[in-house]
Amino acid sequence: MATVTSNVKKLPSDIEIARNAHLAPLTEVAAKVGIDESDLVPYGRHVAKVELEVIEKMADRPDAKYVVVTAITPTPLGEGKTTTAVGLAQGLARIGRKPVLALRQPSLGPVFGIKGGAAGGGYSQVVPMETLNLHLTGDFHAITAAHNLLAAMVANHLHFGNELGLDDIQWRRVMDMNDRSLRHIIEGCGAKTDGVTRQTGFDITAASEVMVIMALATSLADLRKRLGRIVVGFTTAKKPVTAEEIGAAGAMAALLKDALMPNLMQTLENTPAFIHTGPFGNIAIGNSSIIADRVGIKAGDILLTEAGFAADMGAERFFNVKCRAAGLTPQAAVLVATVRALKSHSGRYEVKAGKPLPEGMLQESPEDVEAGCENLVKHIQIIRDFGVQPVVAINAFPTDFDSEHDVIRRTAEKMGARVAVSTHVADGGEGAMELARTVVEACEDEVHFTPTYEFEDSLEEKITKIATKVYGADGVELSPAAAKSLKLYSDQGYGHLPVLIAKTQMSLSHDASLKGAPTGWTLPVREVRLAAGAGYVYAICGNMMTMPGLSKSPAAMRIDIDDEGNVQGLF
Amino acid sequence: MATVTSNVKKLPSDIEIARNAHLAPLTEVAAKVGIDESDLVPYGRHVAKVELEVIEKMADRPDAKYVVVTAITPTPLGEGKTTTAVGLAQGLARIGRKPVLALRQPSLGPVFGIKGGAAGGGYSQVVPMETLNLHLTGDFHAITAAHNLLAAMVANHLHFGNELGLDDIQWRRVMDMNDRSLRHIIEGCGAKTDGVTRQTGFDITAASEVMVIMALATSLADLRKRLGRIVVGFTTAKKPVTAEEIGAAGAMAALLKDALMPNLMQTLENTPAFIHTGPFGNIAIGNSSIIADRVGIKAGDILLTEAGFAADMGAERFFNVKCRAAGLTPQAAVLVATVRALKSHSGRYEVKAGKPLPEGMLQESPEDVEAGCENLVKHIQIIRDFGVQPVVAINAFPTDFDSEHDVIRRTAEKMGARVAVSTHVADGGEGAMELARTVVEACEDEVHFTPTYEFEDSLEEKITKIATKVYGADGVELSPAAAKSLKLYSDQGYGHLPVLIAKTQMSLSHDASLKGAPTGWTLPVREVRLAAGAGYVYAICGNMMTMPGLSKSPAAMRIDIDDEGNVQGLF
């Protein structure tokens, strides 16, 4: 039986496709969505920052439709949310719309670790990919510097007598690198003049609270305030000590002011793409920046923004935290589904990162897909509960079969959800035109945006509501330490904050091995922490890795420059 | 008696002057020295990187005169080498020349530590100073990332079994921050999966060997080779292990390729200024980049390049290391002298950083100046020994007296050296026109460039020649460890490398308290280290600080942004 991807063809490598791209001058790309050259600050030949003043300048324009791109519970290989977002943007442009894309910036850690680069794939990429993957405009470096300036000033405060009485210090350092040896360090190991000896460690920059602050700040003034509110630790009397009290918040803002301008790039088909901030998907917000969305919502007529991981994680935070902080109303959600992910949700196969797919998964088997479809059903329901309509986007692979796509289509339709197949990786925007038309249709739906909880709910209620209403848990089990922290944070006036739940992305539950749509389980909260500057409390369920390590043969070993100075080995 | 600065006036603050500057479009600034718009890569509105291809494009043009700006032994306050270089460039433009300026990029550490910013001063500044002081085009961040990628890969190599048999690891990590607590750390303190436990530490980025490699690389290909040659440590059999063997050099080059393009900015009077790299003045090379000079030498008709610290340090390395690595011949040296520095060399006053000058030093006293002049005489001699003629530049302060300048002038003239007073801080380029004319005159001198040593000399001979012929020591005393290292490096084939001597900049000797031109002393070499990628061996005399600390009230506490997003408190 024929596979659905009619034009099964041997695709050139991502980097070959990217190198052959015809990049348009960014002024032209910006002009497509009404951003004037005078509002662009060029950074290199193919990236420009957009002045924040455009937000005011464009205030009278109507808002674009705000569409989040999310996914079903993925395999460790990922199900192509980024490529779908890029392809869909290209497809929307092809049917005469003015799309704007908003994506997260990749972190250097994974670039040199496993992935060797991330910018979409095939004929749905953001270019130039070397620029996107290496430094871009230096925003991550600015965030690293601001984070570590605060750390240096905290250590300096201890060194000069600890006037504020800091006892329990929670502010670590960050580096945009996979470096397991820095997870746990002892600093100040020299003479007395070399600082106070204490245990601490490094996280990857994407896990920095400053990264989240950049993602959630609605203006430069808001950024400055959030930085001041960062709690670096607590006194013996459990009083929080802030970055403002340390005296670091102003200098941090000075380091970050240019980084707050979103970075404009383009897709292979010259569609405008904002690449801005890159907070981790587990302990951080996992969404790109509000500032980029605030610019994009006034620039185009459809704003596509990608949320990390699956709908229970990235989209939940998008709706409950980001939309409310931004004051923006979501219109629709694209729910990316793949045959391989649904087959894995059947529980019949185990997919491992860096390993080929199990042989059986490549056989035609609508039954396997059917057996995994309860995950899709649950994610459709999750999105609907926010009062938003999902569009199921079947991200087609050359190894898929029509019969398998039919199962997905029927499942979605049975739920009354829109659905479309997209072959954007092989065909670029042309392959996403059906999806584009379906999304445009969904943008006419009436929306009754309904967050999962109210800010007035207690912190514990908020956690419980996410666990039960979104994840499908029976309830929540707080460890004594978690319960104590929740009480402390409420007592200190942080009870009104939203909550994030840090858990695995590989299951709707906290247990990566539970596929499909698990029921009859309780969410165990090991620990609760405060991110007062970012403006949330986060509950940790399981071991969260905040500083990845390199593999035995990291991607960095394959990366080099050639005689012309071109980067080799990024893909 | 009247002070020499005829127009004693209350100067506006540096930042006020900088904010009122009329910046020219960079394309115009570049065009002044024949660099085409198509060779500029914009980074923000007021900085551009210059494509390295221009070096080949301009190969047929005559070389500009290559002039180094150096100084007598300074007080801890500095004697205004940067302001003089900037002012002189402006002065040269005013007398119809086409000057190009090459300066080092300031480090974030000092910006947030003591200084709060560095970009010249008064009416001789490089602008915009916020950009110059905060991130610029991200080159330092790229260097930090490349350095730490290698460190992560070394740690990763240990974690996965240490196949290469690394024993004595010399590669630390870097951060562009003053953070004393990171000088000595123990990494890998967690579980076995969290890396190998060992002592290490962080240096400031300016002290990174990668910074020196960037400063000394003559092309992208040369950069790649130097990165590969970095020795990260030794095996138990004392065999060096390189970055190439670790597999990191290619990825490091990919991180650094854009950073190798020099950054073009402008002075307050729109004179072109390259700001590129910023290696430490003690253990590193203390000079700005060869690449910037290679572009500048073909662009203008006089290239002014600043060398860190005094002539015994920065200029010695400029002549012995940088000129030879660059294949460029120096034409003249500007030797900056101040009344206050010469008064301090009388041994009658103690000048301390961050403290007001001793009251007595502000009284008219040609006798004090006279008493300190042997330092000036020695530095004139140092420069002459390289076969190059010095121009003594008296950097005038409003508190100077004519009689004091006369002493400096007479001393220089007695040596047959050219001399000029410059009031560039108060008067900009106009105040440096006399100096400019004098430098132009010196550029017609015949030069017999004579380095202090030959590369074929043994490492110990090289150290001895610098100590005796440049510093004026009677000889060198090697510690047993230093002697052992010298033998090791020679045996391993590094004997042909030049040497750097890391010592205090506050004296011609290794002892900061010895003012003037000390005689009858021996240089004690405590330790010798190898910087194989940078291409030198360095001898350490005394305690070299490679990671500064913050003061009790660091400059960062005064830095903030205002409502318009302008940075406050940088000066």
Side-chain angles (χ1 to χ4, degrees), chain A residues 42 44-45 51 135 156 180 255, chain B residues 42 44-45 51 156 180 255:
Chain A
R45 293 237 164 79
E51 298 263 23
H135 309 307
N156 197 51
R180 71 170 64 73
L255 280 168
Chain B
R45 293 236 164 80
E51 298 263 23
N156 197 52
R180 71 170 65 72
L255 280 168

Side-chain angles (χ1 to χ4, degrees), chain B residues 228-244:
Chain B
R229 288 199 295 258
I230 290 172
V231 170
V232 298
F234 297 87
T235 65
T236 35
K238 295 288 168 205
K239 188 184 148 320
V241 174
T242 65
E244 199 67 58

Side-chain angles (χ1 to χ4, degrees), chain A residues 197-379:
Chain A
T197 311
R198 66 190 186 93
Q199 279 206 339
T200 180
F202 282 70
D203 298 319
I204 193 165
T205 300
S208 165
E209 185 176 344
V210 179
M211 181 66 86
V212 187
I213 290 175
M214 290 291 288
L216 291 178
T218 54
S219 67
L220 196 54
D222 183 45
L223 171 71
R224 175 63 186 80
K225 278 186 213 138
R226 285 172 183 267
L227 291 170
R229 288 198 295 258
I230 290 171
V231 170
V232 298
F234 296 87
T235 66
T236 35
K238 295 288 168 205
K239 190 185 146 322
V241 174
T242 64
E244 199 68 57
E245 291 171 276
I246 294 292
M252 292 170 78
L255 280 168
L256 294 168
K257 74 183 181 70
D258 290 345
L260 194 62
M261 292 186 279
N263 306 299
L264 181 66
M265 296 184 74
Q266 61 187 293
T267 72
L268 287 171
E269 298 179 12
N270 316 125
T271 315
F274 285 112
I275 310 292
H276 200 218
T277 77
F280 247 32
N282 49 30
I283 66 152
I285 189 82
N287 277 261
S288 66
S289 79
I290 283 180
I291 280 285
D293 285 1
R294 287 195 69 198
V295 174
I297 205 111
K298 290 296 181 183
D301 60 9
I302 295 189
L303 173 61
L304 293 179
T305 190
E306 184 197 348
F309 297 152
D312 57 321
M313 305 277 289
E316 180 272 313
R317 293 159 184 189
F318 171 78
F319 291 125
N320 282 323
V321 183
K322 186 179 175 186
C323 285
R324 290 199 276 188
L328 296 174
T329 306
Q331 171 64 41
V334 175
L335 183 65
V336 177
T338 61
V339 166
R340 72 178 181 201
L342 290 170
K343 284 183 175 176
S344 91
H345 282 297
S346 72
R348 295 168 189 166
Y349 306 100
E350 202 182 353
V351 179
K352 284 192 177 165
K355 296 270 164 66
L357 285 181
E359 188 56 32
M361 275 183 83
L362 297 174
Q363 305 302 316
E364 180 171 11
S365 175
E367 300 75 20
D368 284 348
V369 176
E370 184 90 50
C373 262
E374 57 176 14
N375 186 267
L376 173 63
V377 169
K378 174 66 180 160
H379 282 291

